[in-house]
Amino acid sequence: MTEFLAGIPGPLALIAAMAVLFAESGLLIGVFLPGTGTVLAIGLLAGGGVVEVWLAAVCASTATALGCQHSFYRGRRGGLLRREMVKRLGEQRVARLESSLDGRAEVTVAVSQCFAAVRTLVPRLAARTEMSHLRFTLCNLPVAIAWATTLVLLGAWSGDAYDRVETIAGLAGLPVLLLAAAVAVTIWWLRRKNRLRA
């Protein structure tokens, strides 16, 4: 991605990166697109003076957040993802998956921003729960801005260590995911214990 963006003028590189980031978080094809690598790449360009660092951060944050909003909107309308999931898993399993997000949707939406592929799918699944659009935005927007800004700054400061930073950034969300999973399992266990007592 760095080589591709470096070969075009700064403003066009930002536009190309924004298109990739919007598609990565907003369209189903985004599962196969390099979101983290794209943000780091425009950060690297910003570090080289091709574009302003603040502008790269604003563009990356905006494209990612808009993509997530689009994904949530598409989820509200049902669409292809749910039909494919029902076809593969069955109606009951999909209904259980959607209901499992209820009560934990906020944490799931926030944490999902840190992971490729999950970032694309979770807004659509959250839209199928009782989560309101406002709640989704309040959970997703700050994390999307923090994620994009952090990666732009890492890219700008990485210089020759870009490849190592990209690898580490791809794994950085793992502790957060494990913590969220531990919290989710604890909540589930406590609720189950209370139901058994009742």
Side-chain angles (χ1 to χ4, degrees):
M1 182 57 70
T2 310
E3 293 80 9
F4 170 72
L5 292 176
I8 55 180
L12 289 179
L14 281 180
I15 291 169
M18 287 180 74
V20 170
L21 291 172
F22 177 86
E24 193 262 347
S25 59
L27 307 175
L28 289 178
I29 194 173
V31 171
F32 307 105
L33 294 175
T36 300
T38 301
V39 182
L40 285 170
I42 61 172
L44 188 63
L45 295 180
V50 177
V51 294
E52 295 289 336
V53 174
W54 69 267
L55 184 58
V58 168
C59 289
S61 300
T62 301
T64 300
L66 288 176
C68 290
Q69 291 292 320
H70 175 75
S71 187
F72 186 84
Y73 170 74
R74 295 297 296 171
R76 275 282 194 256
R77 298 186 61 179
L80 179 66
L81 176 64
R82 193 176 197 283
R83 285 198 298 274
E84 283 299 311
M85 287 175 64
V86 168
K87 196 187 303 181
R88 292 174 189 274
L89 301 175
E91 182 70 46
Q92 287 183 331
R93 284 189 180 137
V94 171
R96 276 202 303 268
L97 180 61
E98 290 170 351
S99 67
S100 72
L101 278 172
D102 288 331
R104 292 184 288 275
E106 290 86 355
V107 174
T108 306
V109 165
V111 170
S112 70
Q113 182 62 45
C114 302
F115 299 94
V118 180
R119 183 166 48 247
T120 308
L121 300 175
V122 165
R124 291 173 186 261
L125 293 174
R128 304 293 301 170
T129 69
E130 295 176 3
M131 187 176 214
S132 69
H133 182 247
L134 178 61
R135 272 172 58 210
F136 172 80
T137 302
L138 290 175
C139 293
N140 173 259
L141 186 60
V143 182
I145 292 169
W147 173 81
T149 302
T150 301
L151 289 181
V152 165
L153 292 174
L154 278 173
W157 295 333
S158 66
D160 295 333
Y162 171 81
D163 290 331
R164 270 179 291 155
V165 170
E166 184 177 17
T167 303
I168 292 167
L171 300 173
L174 197 56
V176 178
L177 180 65
L178 293 174
L179 178 62
V183 169
V185 167
T186 303
I187 291 170
W188 170 82
W189 182 76
L190 290 172
R191 284 182 178 174
R192 185 170 179 270
K193 192 175 173 183
N194 288 338
R195 275 201 304 268
L196 289 173
R197 275 188 190 158

